[in-house]
Amino acid sequence: MATDEQQRKELGAFLRARREQLDRGAYGLPPAGRGRTVGLRREEISYLSGVSVTWYTWLEQGRDINPSRQVLDAVATALHLSVAEHDYALRLAGFSPTRPGSGEAVETAPAHVQRFLDALEEHPAYALAPDWGVTGWNSAYEALYPNVATTPPEKRNLLWLIFTDPAVRELLDDWDDTSRRFLAEFRAEAGPRLGDPRYRDLVGRLMEASPEFRERWESHDVRGFESRERVFQHPTLGRLVFEHHQLRPSDQTEIQLVVYTPSDAAARARFFRRRE
């Protein structure tokens, strides 16, 4: 395991490397000595970040200091660090990664995410946007829940479907428990974004449409995701048992993929046979 000293030295070397690779023109700065167009001076990063030259120099030197998160955030902005680079610097200094993104609207899953869903074939799977809008799914999931393909996009939200679609109540063997779990998981993820108009609108519409949602929302339950067994009572396929998993593409961390895997080989064969 790396020592604190090793982490400080790595942080310093990392910041220096990023600084020396910056394009001066991107900052509106003229060439430095001998016409050099790449690399900013420490003094320039100090000015751009609002961090003193001495403090920034100590950071690059790996001195035994304790920079605040605000200092590192300011330096990351001045250095134009990517999210991954910013997170790397924070972890080296002992901080947790950056806070969740803005949760911007995602209408359709990126093409490579959709191809991944399709490649899962017999495993029902779908993609969720940060507000839990269903943005993509595969044919196996459509066989499990056909309404996903016919529901208007503006209502194709997992939380909305759970609390307003009668077909979902019939499909879920344990609607009461699952709806409570999903609501608590949604709140855990959406908490920092509840001031966003899209989230306020979704919650407001559900408060009006569903007494169960209204009652449970006021309880402020919060719960992290847990892989678990899920039982569905399909109108034509009968009783189906799956394991419920969640994935996040490393390049699309705002999107979560939900995948149902048949609980055993017999269940997989039964699902395939009944779909044909």
Side-chain angles (χ1 to χ4, degrees):
M1 180 179 293
T3 64
D4 290 344
E5 181 181 3
Q6 289 173 323
Q7 290 185 215
R8 289 196 303 270
K9 289 185 178 298
E10 171 59 19
L11 175 61
F14 172 70
L15 296 178
R16 178 178 178 178
R18 295 285 77 76
R19 175 177 60 81
E20 292 179 343
Q21 294 172 25
L22 294 173
D23 179 1
R24 298 183 62 80
Y27 288 80
L29 296 173
R34 298 183 180 180
R36 180 167 55 87
T37 61
V38 176
L40 270 65
R41 301 185 179 92
R42 287 173 175 166
E43 293 81 2
E44 291 166 330
I45 294 299
S46 168
Y47 174 78
L48 291 168
S49 65
V51 177
S52 73
V53 176
T54 299
W55 193 257
Y56 181 74
T57 299
W58 287 351
L59 268 178
E60 284 199 1
Q61 292 176 342
R63 296 280 191 96
D64 187 6
I65 58 176
N66 296 305
S68 68
R69 186 181 186 117
Q70 289 74 18
V71 164
L72 291 171
D73 287 346
V75 169
T77 299
L79 291 172
H80 292 182
L81 298 186
S82 67
V83 172
E85 291 171 333
H86 191 175
D87 285 350
Y88 183 64
L90 288 172
R91 287 197 300 270
L92 287 172
F95 294 103
S96 59
T98 51
R99 289 179 293 178
S102 62
E104 296 180 358
V106 179
E107 302 299 334
T108 306
H112 69 288
V113 170
Q114 183 60 56
R115 288 193 292 271
F116 177 77
L117 294 175
D118 293 337
L120 292 173
E121 297 183 343
E122 75 266 30
H123 305 305
Y126 58 92
L128 289 180
D131 64 352
W132 281 32
V134 181
T135 63
W137 60 90
N138 63 8
S139 59
Y141 183 70
E142 188 172 339
L144 179 66
Y145 176 57
N147 285 8
V148 71
T150 58
T151 301
E154 65 273 13
K155 293 185 177 181
R156 197 182 292 137
N157 178 282
L158 183 60
L159 209 59
W160 177 264
L161 296 172
I162 287 171
F163 282 96
T164 66
D165 187 354
V168 173
R169 295 198 182 215
E170 296 177 4
L171 180 65
L172 298 179
D173 182 70
D174 55 352
W175 181 87
D176 187 73
D177 179 63
T178 295
S179 61
R180 289 179 185 276
R181 277 177 173 264
F182 276 18
L183 181 54
E185 292 170 9
F186 173 82
R187 188 162 209 141
E189 295 179 9
R193 299 166 177 159
L194 290 178
D196 183 294
R198 289 184 297 111
Y199 291 77
R200 289 203 308 267
D201 176 67
L202 174 63
V203 171
R205 288 188 292 116
L206 279 165
M207 293 281 277
E208 293 182 2
S210 171
E212 294 98 336
F213 176 89
R214 185 164 57 249
E215 175 188 350
R216 295 168 188 184
W217 185 251
E218 295 301 332
S219 70
H220 293 265
D221 290 339
V222 172
R223 189 168 186 168
F225 175 85
E226 297 175 358
S227 293
R228 59 190 184 276
E229 184 177 85
R230 298 289 307 283
V231 178
F232 298 92
Q233 299 293 345
H234 196 275
T236 59
L237 302 180
R239 186 175 186 270
L240 300 169
V241 182
F242 294 95
E243 288 184 345
H244 183 181
H245 304 281
Q246 181 191 89
L247 310 170
R248 289 186 185 273
S250 60
D251 62 341
Q252 296 285 336
T253 55
E254 293 275 84
I255 294 176
Q256 60 173 297
L257 306 182
V258 177
V259 182
Y260 297 135
T261 60
S263 57
D264 54 38
R268 181 181 297 110
R270 186 169 65 253
F271 182 56
F272 257 131
R273 186 170 59 251
R274 292 182 178 181
R275 287 175 58 203
E276 293 175 351

